[in-house]
Amino acid sequence: MTFKLLIVDDESTMRKGIAEFMNWNTIDCEVAGTASDGLEAIAFLKKHEADIIITDIRMPEADGLEVAKYVFENCPEKKVILLTGYADFEYAKTAIRYNVSAFILKPTNKKELFEAVQAAQSQLATSRHTNNIAREETAFLKEQFLLEMTDHPYQPQFAEKLHKYGLSLTGYYVAAFRLIPYHEDIRSLKKIIMDEKKEACCYRYNNLIIVVYLYNDLESVLQNCCEIEAITRMLDSREISVGISRFHDTPACFQQAVTEAIRALTLNFYAENNVSFFSEELNEDCDLTAENSLDLFQFENLLLDWQFRDAETLLMNLFAKFKQNFVNAQDVKTICAQIYYICSRITIKKSGSLDAEYLNTIRLANDIFTLEQAVTEMFHTLKLSLQDAAGIQGQLAEKAMKYIEENIATDLSLEQIADALHISASHLSRTFKKAAGISLTDYINQFRINRAKELLRSTDIYIYAVSEMVGYHDATYFSSMFKKLVGVSPSEYRNPEG
């Protein structure tokens, strides 16, 4: 870290000597500028950066105390070192009220001045470290609050926190960002967004990054989204897609805005530049929550990735929530209709068409059990259709997936699976990647980690035992692989609140 100095003295010889004939680079400093009096110094500080100000106390126009007073009142993070003659020493001590870092008697010697500057450097470093910690804590609490607003309807007590975190939700758009291909480790995407977002705040919501643009300028929002998309492609070699909500002007609409942004992501199949906007036509008179929208979004991505078992589990959990919470019948039907449209889009893209009778059954269903049966049958029809469309390759991949599922606790290898399927390892490797879009080794690791996630959240089994159950016989390696794919350690995933 290099610290910038401002040298202030009305004696040109002294000013030039301090600025030009002292090896400031040896203590990580550089002279940012000089001034011949206090007024000139204050004008410099208004326009330029300086960390440490070395100033004489007796000067025309404005003296060193006025410089110290200005710094104390306007930029207290900077440090001031006063140069004073013996006769002025008692006078200079009155500057203590301005938090002056050091007083040095003239004539000044290099050793004493260097020591004073190094002490100021230490104070600045400590202060910056403390401020960084405070900023990080505030950022974390701000993200937690935005998550709370995402998952819950607006409450009057939110107003105090909005004010505390400087969030004026009186005019804003919400954008949802996701990586293509879909992936849980989105730390690199979040860093890019945090570096590039303008007049906005962002937070992670499951495997998406949600950005709140705090202004009414859709063109600027779109431009920033495109910049982030281009930088991600260049730095991370991956694509992103973006869904943008409608404009909203009250905090009470925040949850709705996030929901709109997530649902807009489903239109990216038809959108240019991977950016799509929420449309009223998607609404169908259903007040979907952000959680519902995220479930639908994850379901579609699981199908596209051939993760049928996880997709089926998601459907089962979705219907369990419907039954547990007695969700309004019309809302449930609309969500099931969205599932039909997802399945239909995938079928058209991959193999053919989906029977419209499923949609008719959903709309006419008189109870939750009829709905669940129709959606389950539709899911299995889609699964078989995708597998048939993939032909022999798909069947072979499915057999390999089934073998992996049935033998997850064993030491699986390409050669072992190939032997069990009576084919060569090289043929299995090529065929599996072509059919599933992922290497066999990566699929095994993803499958094991997904199963581990289920066990960690639904049981109290020790982590080392979970590691054994999913085929990792080295708990340290399991933790490393889990953190690599999920972004957090197994214990942090099980207890996200610490």
Side-chain angles (χ1 to χ4, degrees):
M1 178 188 299
T2 300
F3 294 84
K4 295 182 180 296
L5 305 178
L6 172 62
I7 312 301
V8 188
D9 200 303
D10 61 329
E11 295 181 20
S12 60
T13 303
M14 177 67 74
R15 187 171 65 248
K16 187 172 183 179
I18 295 175
E20 299 180 14
F21 297 102
M22 299 185 75
N23 299 324
W24 290 115
N25 62 304
T26 62
I27 58 170
D28 298 319
C29 288
E30 65 178 28
V31 176
T34 63
S36 59
D37 60 55
L39 289 182
E40 191 177 330
I42 292 171
F44 180 93
L45 291 172
K46 288 179 179 180
K47 295 181 179 180
H48 306 283
E49 287 296 320
D51 302 300
I52 302 170
I53 298 95
I54 301 173
T55 178
D56 188 17
I57 192 168
R58 289 287 188 182
M59 295 181 295
E61 302 297 336
D63 63 15
L65 290 187
E66 293 203 42
V67 174
K69 182 173 185 276
Y70 173 82
V71 170
F72 179 76
E73 293 177 348
N74 296 278
C75 40
E77 72 280 1
K78 303 181 188 302
K79 295 298 175 183
V80 175
I81 296 173
L82 278 177
L83 305 179
T84 174
Y86 182 80
D88 298 322
F89 188 67
E90 290 301 320
Y91 169 61
K93 285 167 60 177
T94 63
I96 290 174
R97 75 186 73 168
Y98 301 135
N99 200 26
V100 169
S101 177
F103 304 93
I104 298 178
L105 281 172
K106 288 184 174 182
T108 306
N109 65 71
K110 177 180 178 179
K111 181 176 180 297
E112 189 176 9
L113 187 55
F114 268 29
E115 287 176 351
V117 169
Q118 288 174 312
Q121 288 174 314
S122 178
Q123 294 168 12
L124 285 169
T126 301
S127 175
R128 288 172 182 176
H129 177 67
T130 303
N131 290 339
N132 286 338
I133 292 174
R135 279 195 295 270
E136 288 176 3
E137 290 177 347
T138 300
F140 173 77
L141 294 174
K142 185 177 180 179
E143 288 192 23
Q144 294 302 303
F145 171 58
L146 289 171
L147 281 171
E148 184 181 4
M149 287 192 67
T150 301
D151 288 331
H152 298 89
Y154 183 78
Q155 301 169 29
Q157 57 266 35
F158 287 170
E160 183 178 345
K161 286 188 177 180
L162 285 169
H163 178 72
K164 175 181 178 181
Y165 296 122
L167 295 171
S168 178
L169 298 181
T170 55
Y172 60 97
Y173 289 93
V174 172
F177 291 75
R178 76 173 177 96
L179 282 173
I180 305 172
Y182 181 68
H183 200 280
E184 290 187 343
D185 187 356
I186 54 176
R187 288 170 294 180
S188 60
L189 173 59
K190 184 177 181 182
K191 184 179 186 308
I192 290 171
I193 291 174
M194 290 182 69
D195 290 342
E196 296 300 323
K197 62 185 174 57
K198 299 176 177 66
E199 295 181 57
C201 55
C202 73
Y203 62 101
R204 176 171 182 158
Y205 185 60
N206 202 283
N207 295 318
L208 305 175
I209 300 296
I210 305 298
V211 180
V212 186
Y213 290 96
L214 302 170
Y215 47 80
N216 179 15
D217 184 353
L218 184 57
E219 188 63 31
S220 295
V221 172
L222 182 59
Q223 181 180 351
N224 186 242
C225 290
C226 291
E227 288 172 354
I228 292 170
E229 192 272 337
I231 292 170
T232 302
R233 190 183 333 109
M234 179 180 67
L235 297 181
D236 202 27
S237 300
R238 287 191 281 185
E239 301 287 331
I240 62 169
S241 63
V242 188
I244 302 175
S245 74
R246 295 176 298 175
F247 177 74
H248 292 276
D249 56 9
T250 67
C253 293
F254 184 79
Q255 186 183 48
Q256 179 185 347
V258 176
T259 299
E260 290 175 359
I262 295 174
R263 296 190 68 204
L265 282 171
T266 63
L267 293 178
N268 271 300
F269 179 68
Y270 307 99
E272 295 181 5
N273 301 322
N274 293 328
V275 178
S276 57
F277 301 90
F278 177 78
S279 169
E280 288 284 2
E281 295 176 2
L282 288 174
N283 196 23
E284 295 193 13
D285 299 322
C286 175
D287 185 20
L288 292 180
T289 66
E291 183 181 6
N292 294 146
S293 296
L294 189 61
D295 284 339
L296 295 174
F297 171 73
Q298 289 178 319
F299 175 72
E300 182 168 5
N301 279 282
L302 290 170
L303 290 181
L304 289 171
D305 288 342
W306 277 56
Q307 297 186 45
F308 299 121
R309 184 180 181 278
D310 290 342
E312 188 171 15
T313 299
L314 189 151
L315 283 181
M316 291 171 59
N317 292 338
L318 190 60
F319 276 97
K321 284 189 286 187
F322 292 157
K323 295 172 185 176
Q324 182 179 358
N325 298 307
F326 297 99
V327 177
N328 177 275
Q330 186 55 49
D331 288 351
V332 173
K333 286 186 179 183
T334 305
I335 293 170
C336 290
Q338 293 296 324
I339 293 173
Y340 168 84
Y341 293 131
I342 288 171
C343 293
S344 182
R345 282 202 301 273
I346 292 175
T347 306
I348 291 171
K349 185 177 181 181
K350 297 285 188 180
S351 58
S353 60
L354 192 64
D355 192 345
E357 187 59 29
Y358 286 118
L359 183 59
N360 193 46
T361 302
I362 289 170
R363 287 173 171 167
L364 297 178
N366 292 319
D367 56 66
I368 187 69
F369 307 104
T370 304
L371 268 176
E372 187 172 13
Q373 181 180 356
V375 171
T376 302
E377 289 179 1
M378 179 177 66
F379 169 79
H380 286 293
T381 298
L382 171 65
K383 177 181 174 181
L384 292 173
S385 175
L386 293 176
Q387 291 170 348
D388 289 343
I392 300 300
Q393 292 176 348
Q395 293 175 22
L396 182 59
E398 182 71 3
K399 287 179 181 179
M401 291 174 182
K402 184 176 181 181
Y403 183 89
I404 292 167
E405 181 176 359
E406 293 174 349
N407 297 274
I408 188 174
T410 66
D411 292 320
L412 293 168
S413 68
L414 174 63
E415 290 72 20
Q416 175 189 343
I417 299 171
D419 286 342
L421 299 180
H422 308 294
I423 58 173
S424 71
S426 59
H427 177 61
L428 173 60
S429 177
R430 289 193 305 270
T431 304
F432 187 94
K433 186 164 186 178
K434 189 172 182 180
I438 185 175
S439 72
L440 185 66
T441 301
D442 287 344
Y443 178 85
I444 291 171
N445 282 322
Q446 286 188 11
F447 188 87
R448 281 174 164 164
I449 295 303
N450 285 336
R451 181 66 60 84
K453 287 165 64 178
E454 294 174 13
L455 293 170
L456 288 169
R457 280 288 172 88
S458 61
T459 73
D460 294 321
I461 299 172
Y462 289 117
I463 291 176
Y464 75 85
V466 170
S467 172
E468 290 285 340
M469 291 171 69
V470 299
Y472 291 108
H473 304 303
D474 182 335
T476 301
Y477 179 74
F478 164 66
S479 294
S480 174
M481 183 60 67
F482 191 99
K483 188 165 186 178
K484 178 181 177 182
L485 295 181
V486 181
V488 295
S489 68
S491 58
E492 290 171 332
Y493 183 85
R494 171 173 273 173
N495 300 299
E497 302 299 330

